[in-house]
Amino acid sequence: MPERLYGIRHHGPGSARALVQELDRQRPTIVLIEGPPEADDLVRWAADPGLEPPVALLGYATDDPRRSAFWPFAVFSPEWQAIRWAVRNEVPVRFFDLPYAYRLTDARAPAKPPAAAASTPPPSTAATDHPAGISHAAGTSAPDPSAGGLPAVPTSDDGSGDDASPGDQPAPATPPFSSGSPDADGVRPAGRVRPVDPIGELARAAGYDDPERWWEDVVEHRGMPAFEAIAEAMAAIRETSPEDPEDLVREAYMRTVLRDVRRTHENIAVVCGAWHVPALARKVTAKDDAALLKGRKKAKVAFTWVPWTYGRLASWSGYGAGVRSPGWYHHLFTAGGDVVPRWLVDAAGVLRAEGVPTSSAHVIEATRLAEALAALRGRPLAGLAEVTEAAEAVMCDGEPLRAELIGRRLVVGERLGGVPDEMPAVPLARDLSAQQRAVRLKPEALERVLELDLRRDIDRARSRLLHRMRAIGVPWGEPETARRGTGTFREQWRLRWLPDFAVQLVEGSMYGTTVVAAATTKVTDGAREAATLGDVTALVEVCLLAELGDAFPPVLAALDTRAALDSDINHLMAAIPALARTLRYGDVRQTDVSGLATVTASLLTRVCAGLPAAVGSLSDEAAQELRGYVDGVHQAVGLLDDEELRERWLGTLASVSRRPGLHGLLAGRLTRLLLDAGRLDTEEARRRLRLPLTVGTPPAHGAAWVEGFLAGGGLLLVHDDALLELIDGWLADIPAEAFGDVLPLLRRTFGAFATGERRAIGERVAGGPGPSQAEPLVLDHDRAAQVLPTLSALLGREIG
């Protein structure tokens, strides 16, 4: 035969090195690689230095981008090295697996093996091959030299990109898989896994209980080509293994392409999963292969290169063809000599960056220990297990958390690949790339915190871009709302770029060709289809934060319409906080919010009118929900610089708090809000507290009242002796048989206090000194007045 078959393992550095050596010896005139043939035109980009692995081929249906799959490459992937060798030597390259377009439409019954192949079990699909022996559900994946050339990673049907069990590797025990017909998209239905793990079988035959370690010892650490030996082993295993019908179709297509190439080339290199080698070397007639492929339809698909990460290359991510330690394999492939000491030097750097003192003596002793462990275990070279144990014992002082840090940073790694700016992509992706450069915000695989000051133009532009991306459905950044407080100029984000966002950008392109256009259309459509008033008000805030001026009028119109039709008091109260934030912070972003104040005032008026009727005869769950809405509206009213609305709201609270039969949780909460607002004096608050705590009142009612009153902080008890004495006495008088009923409420109330507050209350109850016993506090009013101009400028209102 004019071809040479190279059976490789996915993402195996030993296979990659040996493959390059063999290609240099053979000097083929064409290279066939197992992968989607629709991506042939993208191979030329491998010569561009901007295409930096890890990267992946993204294939998707043009009519529904959610039906998509990835084919990842690392620098140590044999397929990537074959492509790079061919491009460097100006040798033609073709992918010759079953087209992805067939898989999106293939709903036929499983194929039957051709006559000539009846004695041998079927091969496997590039998107779905045999398991690696160790179940993904257990969090590991054994190495698999039989893995097919390019494992597809189908995304989930909602476009979230959760890795399915594609590739010539094991499927998870309960794998997620992409939408489409059964057995399509290069993914097996849940529960279908390849019945044999060839590497696991070979490892057991060699006396190993860990296939990963066997593969390292036999291939990775010896550095010698083993293609013929592995092919013979695969043939022997397939002789006795059950068939997988999906493999037959793929291998029939591969043989068909191989026959065509033989007509024009006499020196062919075929790079494929070692599991397929016996099937491709077998004599099968063209008629039998054509029968398997007859009648198959094609869908319309598109392909491009996208960045990938080592985290998504790891087996624990759900990627069926993943490896346990992509960072370690990257090191094996790129380090050259002195693999162990170089690795431990990098580990020392990780520890030093976290403030752990690590000297060169640590590295030397860890290297000696790793090599000694390898010698004791009869291994040709210290592997990942030995260097990990040595690092933990010598450099980490036996601390598991430090070892986990090394594992996260080095063993797996979070390297993010890159693609050239000129790479063909949907216009939305190109516009995003241009905006990322404009605001100097580079996508990174590692999570990082970004602090923004909205008074700076570049930070405001960054905030605008991140909010627009969230509006499109690409959560590149998550705002840290807990850190924002009530400030107007500061934002804190947690940023992390995921490979799945490439699919979501393709989906978002149906809304527009630019980020602002897509976000505007998405928000406008969302306002038109919103089911509740709260949904619309959330979009009002999105318009403000993302500065979507064109979306604001239709969203405001939808808000006005929905507010007029919605009579549910909970919906009305849920809508107010977002509107208040929009009005309060609108001036910071220079957004015109005229007209919104009228809508907000109207909603608050309706809430004030409907709240008295809504508080009657509430269950515990309903009271808890309503209390949350009341707190939200109360905070929102505090943001509004409108004294008339504030008086109206506080008057409503005062009226409702006096209603008989009010649920204890609400009664306590309203009393606390009125006390904090200066509408009740301390004596009146004490009087109200005594009522539910008197003898004869059910303890559960009193506990609910206390929970509502003390929610939000316990400083009141620290500074008010009478209140503390009252609650302490009530707790002491609760009957033993009723204490178990009120304990959860009390634990929830006091457990929410800050540690310092709980400590201070405990000291007061134990008889420690209180504020009343301390020296009186003397205030210097003249010094305090000096900060009032600055506070007025910061808060935007006159103080004094």
Side-chain angles (χ1 to χ4, degrees):
M1 293 187 296
E3 69 269 8
R4 175 82 187 276
L5 303 177
Y6 298 106
I8 52 89
R9 174 206 177 181
H10 282 314
H11 315 306
S15 290
R17 282 193 301 269
L19 177 62
V20 173
Q21 295 173 14
E22 291 301 302
L23 290 176
D24 283 335
R25 293 191 187 98
Q26 182 188 354
R27 311 300 298 182
T29 58
I30 187 171
V31 178
L32 301 182
I33 299 175
E34 184 182 341
E38 296 95 337
D40 281 349
D41 291 339
L42 298 175
V43 170
R44 61 184 177 87
W45 288 97
D48 193 311
L51 188 63
E52 181 181 357
V55 291
L57 286 169
L58 165 63
Y60 58 91
T62 56
D63 59 344
D64 184 4
R66 292 174 297 178
R67 304 170 64 199
S68 56
F70 295 95
W71 284 259
F73 298 83
V75 69
F76 51 82
S77 300
E79 303 91 346
W80 176 257
Q81 290 300 320
I83 292 173
R84 290 283 299 162
W85 184 93
V87 171
R88 189 167 55 249
N89 290 277
E90 298 182 352
V91 174
V93 180
R94 285 183 60 180
F95 291 121
F96 77 125
D97 199 359
L98 184 71
Y100 183 54
Y102 284 150
R103 304 185 191 183
L104 290 175
T105 60
D106 186 8
R108 295 166 40 139
K112 296 185 180 299
S119 62
T120 309
S124 45
T125 73
T128 53
D129 251 347
H130 52 275
I134 298 179
S135 170
H136 166 67
T140 58
S141 177
D144 190 0
S146 62
L150 285 175
V153 183
T155 59
S156 62
D157 57 359
D158 62 359
S160 65
D162 291 337
D163 292 350
S165 59
D168 294 331
Q169 290 289 337
T174 55
F177 53 95
S178 61
S179 59
S181 59
D183 298 343
D185 298 351
V187 72
R188 300 178 189 279
R192 286 192 62 184
V193 296
R194 188 165 301 284
V196 64
D197 167 23
I199 301 308
E201 294 293 330
L202 294 174
R204 281 189 290 272
Y208 281 73
D209 58 357
D210 186 352
E212 182 84 19
R213 176 165 295 194
W214 177 84
W215 177 258
E216 282 193 354
D217 287 352
V218 172
V219 177
E220 302 299 343
H221 294 166
R222 297 191 183 276
M224 62 181 66
F227 295 112
E228 293 182 1
I230 292 176
E232 292 177 5
M234 292 301 106
I237 292 176
R238 292 191 67 162
E239 288 286 344
T240 57
S241 300
E243 297 179 348
D244 185 340
E246 292 184 15
D247 294 341
L248 298 173
V249 176
R250 293 181 53 224
E251 291 174 346
Y253 188 88
M254 294 181 197
R255 287 191 295 264
T256 301
V257 174
L258 192 52
R259 291 189 193 98
D260 292 338
V261 173
R262 286 172 184 159
R263 298 190 183 101
T264 56
H265 294 79
E266 297 181 352
N267 188 9
I268 307 168
V270 178
V271 181
C272 64
W275 183 258
H276 302 302
V277 169
L280 297 184
R282 210 164 36 225
K283 298 294 184 180
V284 180
T285 65
K287 180 180 179 181
D288 289 335
D289 286 341
L292 290 176
L293 300 171
K294 184 179 179 181
R296 297 180 183 273
K297 298 180 180 180
K298 281 188 175 183
K300 292 184 178 180
V301 299
F303 272 76
T304 188
W305 288 105
V306 296
W308 201 249
T309 68
Y310 277 173
R312 283 302 177 94
L313 203 63
S315 55
W316 53 260
S317 71
Y319 172 32
V323 293
R324 293 185 198 172
S325 46
W328 168 251
Y329 278 1
H330 179 95
H331 180 77
L332 284 180
F333 188 78
T334 59
D338 299 327
V339 170
V340 173
R342 289 176 182 270
W343 173 266
L344 292 172
V345 167
D346 292 342
V350 170
L351 294 176
R352 288 175 189 145
E354 296 296 326
V356 179
T358 311
S359 67
S360 57
H362 285 92
V363 175
I364 294 170
E365 289 304 317
T367 301
R368 290 173 177 170
L369 178 57
E371 293 173 346
L373 286 173
L376 287 172
R377 295 168 180 174
R379 306 196 67 185
L381 182 70
L384 180 58
E386 285 73 32
V387 295
T388 299
E389 293 173 20
E392 182 173 357
V394 177
M395 302 166 65
C396 302
D397 296 327
E399 289 286 342
L401 291 179
R402 297 180 183 177
E404 289 176 9
L405 177 65
I406 295 175
R408 186 169 61 253
R409 298 282 179 83
L410 292 183
V411 177
V412 175
E414 281 297 342
R415 185 184 298 265
L416 177 67
V419 298
D421 295 335
E422 301 79 14
M423 177 66 61
V426 294
L428 177 61
R430 288 199 297 268
D431 181 65
L432 172 60
S433 179
Q435 293 199 40
Q436 288 170 336
R437 292 193 300 272
V439 300
R440 300 195 293 275
L441 204 55
K442 182 180 179 181
E444 296 177 348
L446 281 175
E447 183 179 280
R448 69 184 182 99
V449 175
L450 177 67
E451 297 275 358
L452 298 179
D453 183 347
L454 301 183
R455 292 169 295 187
R456 301 176 61 222
D457 289 341
I458 188 169
D459 281 355
R460 181 178 159 191
R462 289 170 174 172
S463 173
R464 179 171 59 235
L465 176 61
L466 292 171
H467 280 294
R468 287 175 178 176
M469 294 300 293
R470 285 173 54 81
I472 294 172
V474 182
W476 176 19
E478 292 291 342
E480 295 284 293
T481 54
R483 292 292 302 275
R484 178 175 180 174
T486 57
T488 59
F489 300 116
R490 299 285 180 179
E491 281 186 349
Q492 180 172 291
W493 293 79
R494 288 193 175 273
L495 304 184
R496 187 185 184 193
W497 186 265
L498 299 177
D500 313 60
F501 294 161
V503 176
Q504 293 164 4
L505 285 174
V506 175
E507 294 178 36
S509 64
M510 67 181 66
Y511 295 99
T513 57
T514 64
V515 173
V516 62
T520 298
T521 304
K522 191 81 176 285
V523 169
T524 304
D525 291 351
R528 185 172 56 251
E529 300 167 0
T532 66
L533 180 61
D535 294 338
V536 182
T537 54
L539 293 176
V540 172
E541 191 171 18
V542 169
C543 288
L544 164 73
L545 298 173
E547 299 184 26
L548 302 176
D550 292 341
F552 193 71
V555 171
L556 192 59
L559 172 65
D560 204 10
T561 301
R562 178 61 65 181
L565 297 176
D566 202 328
S567 59
D568 190 309
I569 188 69
N570 288 351
H571 290 173
L572 298 177
M573 297 178 76
I576 291 177
L579 299 179
R581 288 193 298 268
T582 302
L583 289 170
R584 174 61 176 157
Y585 302 138
D587 59 337
V588 178
R589 296 174 180 273
Q590 304 173 7
T591 304
D592 183 9
V593 292
S594 58
L596 191 58
T598 304
V599 176
T600 305
S602 174
L603 286 177
L604 185 58
T605 301
R606 293 175 61 188
V607 167
C608 292
L611 186 59
V615 298
S617 304
L618 295 178
S619 65
D620 292 343
E621 293 76 11
Q624 188 78 26
E625 181 182 10
L626 187 58
R627 192 204 78 173
Y629 290 131
V630 169
D631 284 345
V633 173
H634 189 75
Q635 294 174 4
V637 171
L639 291 176
L640 298 174
D641 190 14
D642 191 319
E643 193 62 29
E644 180 181 351
L645 289 179
R646 183 175 183 273
E647 289 296 323
R648 184 182 306 163
W649 171 248
L650 292 177
T652 301
L653 295 185
S655 173
V656 172
S657 69
R658 294 189 294 267
R659 290 174 62 90
L662 187 64
H663 192 283
L665 183 67
L666 291 175
R669 190 59 189 154
L670 297 184
T671 301
R672 176 65 181 274
L673 294 179
L674 292 171
L675 177 64
D676 291 345
R679 292 306 183 95
L680 290 180
D681 56 28
T682 306
E683 288 300 324
E684 175 61 17
R686 293 171 185 166
R687 186 192 69 80
R688 292 191 179 191
L689 179 57
R690 291 190 188 98
L691 295 177
L693 303 187
T694 55
V695 177
T697 304
H701 177 76
W705 207 101
V706 171
E707 179 186 3
F709 184 75
L710 296 180
L715 283 178
L716 194 63
L717 294 180
V718 177
H719 296 284
D720 194 316
D721 293 336
L723 282 179
L724 179 60
E725 182 179 356
L726 186 62
I727 292 179
D728 184 40
W730 168 72
L731 285 172
D733 293 338
I734 295 177
E737 62 273 11
F739 190 78
D741 296 333
V742 301
L743 182 59
L745 294 177
L746 296 174
R747 181 176 294 165
R748 184 169 61 204
T749 301
F750 289 93
F753 293 169
T755 303
E757 293 174 349
R758 293 199 302 269
R759 183 185 302 111
I761 293 173
E763 291 173 351
R764 296 290 308 285
V765 172
S772 60
Q773 300 169 332
E775 295 183 3
L777 181 65
V778 179
L779 297 179
D780 188 336
H781 295 281
D782 293 335
R783 292 184 63 189
Q786 295 177 7
V787 304
L788 294 182
T790 303
L791 288 176
S792 298
L794 290 174
L795 299 177
R797 64 175 68 178
E798 188 67 27
I799 298 177

